[in-house]
Amino acid sequence: MNRPDHLRALQGFVRRELTGKDAYLDSLAEAPLPLYERFGGTGLAGWWLPEEYGGLGLGLEESVRITSELAYADAGVAFTLFIPVLTTSMVQWYGSEELRKEHLGGLAGGGFAATLGSEHAAGSELARIGTTARREGDTVVLDGQKAFSTNTAFARFLVVIARAADDPSGYLAVLVPGDAPGVTVEKRWDVIGLRSSATYQVSLSGVRVPAGNVLRGNGLRLLEIGLNASRILIATTALGIARRIRDVCMEYGKSKSVKGAPLTANAVFAGRLGQFEMQIEVMTNQCLAAARAYDAIAARPDAGEEFMRVGTLKSALTTKMFCGQTGWQIASAASEMFGGLGYTHEAVIGKLLRDMRYVSIVEGGDDVLRDLVFSRYVVPVSKRS
């Protein structure tokens, strides 16, 4: 499938399944929604996976373009479809060849994967996680509870971040089949935005997998590496939502009359949309630049080792922060432009506002990322702990 083909398939899916269905997509319908199964029929599922595992082998720069188009129609759908990149990138770089063939190869037809990292007590301090992994002969046994994990209930496999039971300072990333005995989905969270996605609280009780399912390297470091791609694509959802907000405001401005003239003729309204366009342009360029920086490492023959050395990419952190904050400025200003209607469920702007908010919350809130940028990239190397 060449580039024009995959873009046409994407546009067709958006037109058939997402356009004009905002109320349904915002209804917290059962997940996975049937439309996710139909997305598999487009040939785009797992578009970032290497061709040797059945994917299209598209890089993160092209993933930015795909995600922006999906998020323009619905950010929850975009999030559901791209968030497995967090899980699969860890397996791709640090799993055995056997694990890669068995598990990555099953996603290209429309399967999903999930990562279990976050916990209630640990919050953003993942070094405090309580989930444990203990070795028993040639197996590993997992016990604990995970607070927020998207796609878990319908994922083909999970990567669980756990503390090594025999080493309090050691952490593992363990691949677990989605139907493994002892994995229990306790509830689906009633989220205020991205309601077409599904995020769960999950418990692990005596979950037993082969020792070969443990990925190579420190589990927390692998999670850092996996978050690079997903953070850039989360930032891209802010771009897609912002583009939709701009167009929704423009349509509203054409139909709304103020002082006998269309709102679009009002200098204040026009100035706001001009500001939006400037911000959208910068968001676009930043997402693409961050994706290119990621792709440059991913293309290296020693990509796994280089990612291990670098860990969290500065561009991934700053892009997510910038797009989340800028997108929220756009969404907040746009809701005011709708007046009282913007504070009701009658106008789609309310949904877009709620969807936008997640960008600055998931995979590290802005305050957490500010501190991380400070400690990793502002404090001189000689003074870092």
Side-chain angles (χ1 to χ4, degrees), residues 12-68:
F13 173 80
V14 169
R15 184 174 58 253
R16 292 190 309 272
E17 304 290 348
L18 306 181
T19 302
K21 299 182 180 179
D22 294 306
Y24 170 60
L25 295 169
D26 197 36
S27 66
L28 207 73
E30 286 298 312
L33 296 170
L35 66 88
Y36 294 135
E37 298 174 2
R38 293 193 288 275
F39 183 77
T42 66
L44 284 168
W47 65 81
W48 62 87
L49 291 170
E51 293 180 359
E52 62 191 290
Y53 303 120
L56 298 183
L58 299 179
L60 201 63
E61 183 175 359
E62 195 62 22
S63 297
V64 163
R65 296 186 177 94
I66 291 171
T67 298
S68 180

Side-chain angles (χ1 to χ4, degrees), residues 103-119:
H103 296 284
L104 297 184
L107 297 187
F112 290 88
T115 302
L116 279 67
S118 175
E119 298 182 8

Side-chain angles (χ1 to χ4, degrees), residues 142-157:
L142 296 156
D143 291 282
Q145 186 181 75
K146 295 296 184 178
F148 303 104
S149 177
T150 301
N151 294 357
T152 305
F154 48 90
R156 295 194 179 186
F157 68 90

Side-chain angles (χ1 to χ4, degrees), residues 115-123 125-126 128-133 141-149 152 158-163 182-187 189 200-207:
T115 302
L116 279 67
S118 175
E119 298 182 8
H120 286 293
E125 296 181 282
L126 289 175
R128 296 176 53 212
I129 60 175
T131 298
T132 60
V141 182
L142 296 156
D143 291 282
Q145 186 181 75
K146 295 296 184 178
F148 303 104
S149 177
T152 305
L158 324 168
V159 169
V160 180
I161 309 300
R163 181 189 297 274
V183 176
T184 302
V185 173
E186 297 185 335
K187 70 175 181 179
W189 290 96
Y200 304 92
Q201 179 171 293
V202 185
S203 67
L204 306 158
S205 179
V207 178

